[in-house]
Amino acid sequence: MLPTAAEVFERADLIVKVKEPQASERALLRPDHVLFTYLHLAAYPEQTADLVASGATCIAYETVTDIRGGLPLLAPMS
């Protein structure tokens, strides 16, 4: 645990969140980061552009599928 988001983004390689990153957090992303969170990209085109520009690897919980094609990370929300 670190006192600020900036310190987390500076020191971490993997960033795991529950909610989509705020604009201030997206500005801290670097190409060597892996971001794992809900992204809802279709609803937030500005967020999508920021994530692409960051060069980070971004994995959206809502797109993770299991071997049967199900969405296991969305199931608890149903």
Side-chain angles (χ1 to χ4, degrees):
M1 303 261 294
L2 295 166
T4 68
E7 290 176 88
V8 171
F9 281 72
E10 177 62 32
R11 295 175 62 180
D13 296 321
L14 173 64
I15 299 162
V16 179
K17 291 181 52 75
V18 175
K19 300 221 11 117
E20 63 280 348
Q22 301 301 306
S24 60
E25 295 170 328
R26 296 191 305 264
L28 299 172
L29 286 169
R30 304 183 311 257
D32 61 318
H33 280 141
V34 175
L35 174 65
F36 194 49
T37 189
Y38 287 104
L39 290 173
H40 312 293
L41 296 175
Y44 300 105
E46 182 178 313
Q47 172 181 244
T48 303
D50 289 348
L51 295 175
V52 170
S54 77
T57 299
C58 303
I59 303 166
Y61 292 144
E62 66 269 21
T63 64
V64 173
T65 57
D66 61 24
I67 61 173
R68 294 179 304 271
L71 300 165
L73 301 179
L74 287 180
M77 301 177 97
S78 297

